[in-house]
Amino acid sequence: MPQNPAHSAPLPMSSGVSSSTVIHSHTHPQFTPPPPPPFHTYSHEDLAANMAAAVGVSMLPGSPGPMDELGHGSHVAGIVGAAGSNALLVSGVVWGNVDLLACRFIDGDGLGRTSAAVDCVNYCLAQGARVIQASWGGAAAPNAAMQAAMEAAEAADALIVVSAGNDDRDLDAEPQYPASYAAERANVLAVAAVGRAGALSSFSNRGAGTVALAAPGEAILSTLPGNATGVLSGTSMAAPFVSGAAALALSVAGPGALPAPALKRLLLESAEPTAQLRGRVGAGLLRLDRVVAAAAALAAAPTTAP
């Protein structure tokens, strides 16, 4: 299945808690590529303060670096961690004290190899990633190397948040990877998109046994290359809301309090079940307020000496 543009892999860190996101693409409603190069996600006025000191990498042969060519990665990065309190248009879910690190594996035509995606996941793990955001997909069958990378992520206590895809498909009946890994792995979570009224977006993939959470994914304002902002729709826009929530939970709960499976459970148990999502999304709608409250309760819980 063809994929559309994307590229960038933001790595959020909050209060010294490292997390990472590998962000690439699905076909997006309302997606219009930005103007031709140069593209400088790292110098965007609403992202620069939160970009990692170590510039990211590209897994594309001959590529000069990880900079965003198509806008998708910059947009997702802004949802995760655009700076706040700066009088600009966008604030990310984790808008302060966050590092965003890029790893590119999709080219200017919107195509990428799974082997390069695996390299990006492993690169982010090597940087101490705790949350990996994967806004890309389309494979109809699982991949052994990707499965091994996800096992390595679980061993490293990294949660992988995956966009469900934009094909109006029931993933319980028609699996699509990497989203469908969520049905079998304790550290993978697939995210659907909803509109402002909370109804599942017409384009969003679903499947209560595979897609656990839904988050806003229609007409989302975020950052684009060239100090621009713009509105995009898609499950790639929904998933980084969950990644940001995961990073906040890690920060609030404190070091060691939330291994990856426990972090996934906290996100799901904090969700709001709704009639609109029943039978289509497993746990329900992301509730950031409940996520933070649950993480704060963990931080406040008394500990016992060994």
Side-chain angles (χ1 to χ4, degrees), residues 1-10 21-28 72 76 103-106 110-122 124 132-141 143 145-147 149-150 160-167 171 176-181 188-191 205 235-237 239-240:
M1 170 182 178
Q3 292 182 304
N4 238 27
H7 104 135
S8 157
T21 68
V22 181
I23 296 176
H24 303 281
S25 78
H26 285 286
T27 302
H28 291 290
H72 177 277
V76 177
C103 181
R104 178 183 180 186
F105 77 85
I106 290 186
L111 301 175
R113 295 181 178 273
T114 300
S115 59
V118 170
D119 289 341
C120 274
V121 172
N122 289 330
C124 289
I132 297 179
Q133 167 60 44
S135 283
W136 55 273
N143 175 275
M146 182 60 76
Q147 288 174 311
M150 291 187 168
I160 300 177
V161 180
V162 186
S163 54
N166 306 318
D167 307 301
L171 298 186
Q176 184 180 98
Y177 295 87
S180 290
Y181 291 121
V188 182
L189 199 166
V191 183
N205 289 350
T235 58
S236 283
M237 285 65 251

Side-chain angles (χ1 to χ4, degrees), residues 53 88 108 136 150 206 276:
L88 298 176
W136 55 273
M150 291 187 168
R206 58 200 178 277
Q276 292 167 300

Side-chain angles (χ1 to χ4, degrees), residues 161-232:
V161 180
V162 186
S163 54
N166 306 318
D167 307 301
D168 185 22
R169 174 184 296 187
D170 183 345
L171 298 186
D172 293 347
E174 300 178 81
Q176 184 180 98
Y177 295 87
S180 290
Y181 291 121
E184 59 194 53
R185 300 213 59 87
N187 68 320
V188 182
L189 199 166
V191 183
V194 296
R196 292 187 180 184
L200 190 73
S201 300
S202 61
F203 54 79
S204 181
N205 289 350
R206 58 200 178 277
T210 303
V211 182
L213 280 180
E218 294 184 23
I220 304 300
L221 177 70
S222 189
T223 49
L224 289 172
N227 281 336
T229 58
V231 170
L232 295 178

Side-chain angles (χ1 to χ4, degrees), residues 69-81:
E69 288 189 33
L70 294 165
H72 177 277
S74 296
H75 199 271
V76 177
I79 296 168
V80 175

